[in-house]
Amino acid sequence: MLLKKEEIQARTITEDGRLFLQKAAQDGLETVWDRYQAQQPQCGFCELGLSCRNCSMGPCRIDPFGEGPQRGVCGADADIIVARNLGRMIAAGAASHSDHGRDLVEVLRKVGEGKAPGYGIQSEEKLRKLASELGVAQDGKSAEALAVAVAEALEEEFGTRKKALAFVGRVPEKRRKVWEKLGITPRGIDRETSEMMHRTHMGVDNDWKSLLLHGLRNALSDGWGGSLIATEVSDILFGVPKPVASEVNLRVLKEDQVNIVVHGHNPIVSEMIFQAAQDPELLQLAEEKGAQGINLAGLCCTGNELLMRRGIPIAGNHLMTELALSTGLVDMMLVDYQCIMPALGEAARCYHTRMVSTSDKARYPFMEHREFRPENARQLARDLVQEAVESYTRRIPAKVLSPPGDAVKMMAGFSVEAIVSALGGSAGPLIDAIKSGAIQGAVGVVGCNNPKIRHDYGHVTLTTRLIQNDVLVVDTGCAAVAHAKAGLKVPEAAEKAGPGLQQVCRALGIPPVLHMGSCVDNVRIFDLAAALAHALGTDISDLPLAAAAPEWYSEKAVSIACYAVASGVYTVLGTPPPIFGSPNIVKLLTEDLDDLLGASFAVEPDPTKAADLILERIRAKRAALGL
Ligand code: CUV
Ligand code: SF4
């Protein structure tokens, strides 16, 4: 069944998305938008956060109109149920990032032990820096021995023995005091998540305020713990990102090459595939099969990881993952974990695409499972690339549609180290530009896509308006891919910025929207914010900064948003979180937190209005600083 033009336009603002929505429909492929429509109307109780199935006396729901039951079977009211549900979302998000971090620590240890052939230490400098931060003695230790010792110290961060995570040391002192006063200093990464599951069991923490405070602590264990470890260890193993040019959208898939697409989050798999795709023997084999080369492309965050470090092009973001398959050009898609729709395996059966899952903890229908371990990764990656080359010969010409035109050019690789070096070696020039008003402030625009919001519209509208008003935007995740597709990530995009930001960008040769990486790399943004606060002797919450997640869908995004606010950054959400069943909680999160943390949430689905909220906040922070 073909889709109507208006229907397609309402689903996405992207040209490649529109073309392939129609192609998918032609092929009889069901997409996330179709399934979203089929789910209408979605449950109103759940939307408001008012349903609970935490125990078997339930499930229960609270009547938001005050006519039906106001308590669950156990007696929990709307506030308790909303707080428990939000708490569990945070726990799931923090657990996801942190378990990803743990997998990297495992590889770091195996590298040190010489049991991970193909992996190595790309940034000994960062390893040594981390060692001193963690208090690990370096006395003449080789990089390998140090890797083992650092891995051990990082393993401790997950446990229960500490009073505070080591990386809390990066936080400005004023902020640490705020956390101490509220009792939300994160202690152990797994501990906070585990404690959240405990507190939200029937009959444990039934004070919605104390539940939410623990939610902030749980989220901080992600932001200053699990995610931070994931980013730092990735940098050690695969290198610290530097500015790099690349391309984005479905046109990065090449008709005359073997196309391998990596999707998921963890660079452990994608980096090995990257290496194998350059193997001269495999390139030779591809040539023998009639291909011009082996083309690696990314989706979602593992794509961002490869883009940041290797300049590997990105085919699309979250809502493009099914449409990438509908090109008929993907010879193999490799997935690890998180944000991989379980629908993908079946979708691929419409084409010749080989679908391969790689992590023991993440299995999917209609995918073959090939387990990646540090020990076997190099060989397995080689085998898989070879199989992808074979798969290329089985393309179904009638199902192939090559996207016309060229991919959009973009720049990525803006780690904090890269930004500082672009500034000439210190954050000073950035601070000066903020002081002079050339740059009014900086905003992290991050997060997912969600079929509830027109694909990429939230990101691009919000960000365009911010840069027009001289606000520097840094981004990660699917937001970053959206901005890149819209052409905002080339130095020439400076012309879309206001006069002040434009001048700064031109002087430095950078785009007005800086790609800082994957979702775990949001910690880079907070590292930068903490460094600015240190340099000015203030708290993060005093700075003219904000964050936004205009199209978020994931529990991870909830955790990120919570550690952003707890770290002192005002955060605007586009998709409404399930909290509106509790006016008390809405008031706490959107108003009262300002007094406690110097930052709060706002919910604003209209990205133009969201931009105005942010601009207003930035003006107020500037005024308070006397700027
Ligand atoms: Ni981790 S979490 S949809 S891939 S940003 Fe993309 Fe990014 Fe959200 Fe997922
Ligand atoms: Fe119902 Fe309480 Fe059980 Fe939740 S915990 S399902 S509200 S009885």
Side-chain angles (χ1 to χ4, degrees), residues 241-243 308 411-416 418-419 510-511 514-516 524:
K242 292 199 274 293
M308 289 286 286
M411 244 177 121
F414 290 96
S415 57
V416 176
I419 292 175
I510 57 170
L514 301 180
H515 196 322
M516 292 189 77
R524 298 191 199 275

Side-chain angles (χ1 to χ4, degrees), residues 165-181:
L165 296 179
F167 299 110
V168 167
R170 291 188 189 185
V171 178
E173 201 189 333
K174 285 188 181 155
R175 182 71 4 195
R176 290 205 301 265
K177 291 260 160 61
V178 171
W179 293 352
E180 266 163 44
K181 195 161 152 236

Side-chain angles (χ1 to χ4, degrees), residues 206-263:
N206 291 294
D207 176 334
W208 56 273
K209 290 193 203 100
S210 117
L211 270 170
L212 292 176
L213 281 176
H214 181 69
L216 296 177
R217 174 160 54 182
N218 194 171
L220 287 172
S221 79
D222 174 0
W224 298 92
S227 280
L228 197 152
I229 289 173
T231 292
E232 294 286 33
V233 177
S234 296
D235 282 357
I236 292 172
L237 292 172
F238 308 120
V240 178
K242 292 199 274 293
V244 60
S246 190
E247 297 190 326
V248 63
N249 77 23
L250 287 184
R251 297 182 187 100
V252 307
L253 301 173
K254 304 285 179 229
E255 184 154 17
D256 56 0
Q257 296 193 32
V258 178
N259 291 307
I260 303 177
V261 175
V262 287
H263 176 15

Side-chain angles (χ1 to χ4, degrees), residues 52-60 72-76 81 84 201-202:
C52 178
R53 45 175 183 74
N54 285 14
C55 90
S56 187
M57 296 191 284
C60 305
V73 176
C74 67
I81 289 179
R84 282 197 305 218
H201 183 280
M202 200 303 274

Side-chain angles (χ1 to χ4, degrees), residues 367-409:
M367 290 196 200
E368 49 182 298
H369 187 68
R370 305 286 285 278
E371 182 74 28
F372 262 77
R373 291 186 308 275
E375 293 85 354
N376 76 350
R378 183 167 63 185
Q379 184 56 42
L380 182 55
R382 242 189 134 269
D383 295 349
L384 285 168
V385 171
Q386 182 172 347
E387 289 169 39
V389 175
E390 305 287 342
S391 171
Y392 166 82
T393 64
R394 291 190 294 271
R395 276 199 199 155
I396 308 165
K399 289 269 178 77
V400 168
L401 176 62
S402 248
D406 295 319
V408 178
K409 303 250 180 277

Side-chain angles (χ1 to χ4, degrees), residues 282-333:
L282 293 172
L283 286 167
Q284 168 77 26
L285 179 70
E287 199 178 311
E288 281 162 23
K289 302 286 177 187
Q292 296 299 308
I294 300 175
N295 179 40
L296 186 58
L299 282 170
C300 288
C301 279
T302 208
N304 281 324
E305 299 273 355
L306 278 185
L307 167 70
M308 289 286 286
R309 297 196 181 83
R310 315 284 173 215
I312 292 296
I314 287 240
N317 46 6
H318 179 49
L319 290 190
M320 293 302 289
T321 54
E322 289 165 310
L323 300 185
L325 293 173
S326 77
T327 59
L329 288 171
V330 181
D331 300 305
M332 181 178 280
M333 185 182 285

Side-chain angles (χ1 to χ4, degrees), residues 471-550:
V471 171
L472 176 71
V473 171
V474 294
D475 61 7
T476 61
C478 290
V481 180
H483 298 148
K485 281 186 280 178
L488 297 174
K489 290 200 163 158
V490 282
E492 301 77 59
E495 67 186 36
K496 296 182 178 155
L501 177 59
Q502 191 171 128
Q503 204 185 9
V504 174
C505 289
R506 291 202 199 281
L508 298 172
I510 57 170
V513 181
L514 301 180
H515 196 322
M516 292 189 77
S518 66
C519 295
V520 292
D521 291 338
N522 281 315
V523 303
R524 298 191 199 275
I525 299 177
F526 288 90
D527 251 349
L528 186 60
L532 292 179
H534 274 305
L536 290 166
T538 65
D539 192 351
I540 296 174
S541 59
D542 298 326
L543 302 172
L545 306 177

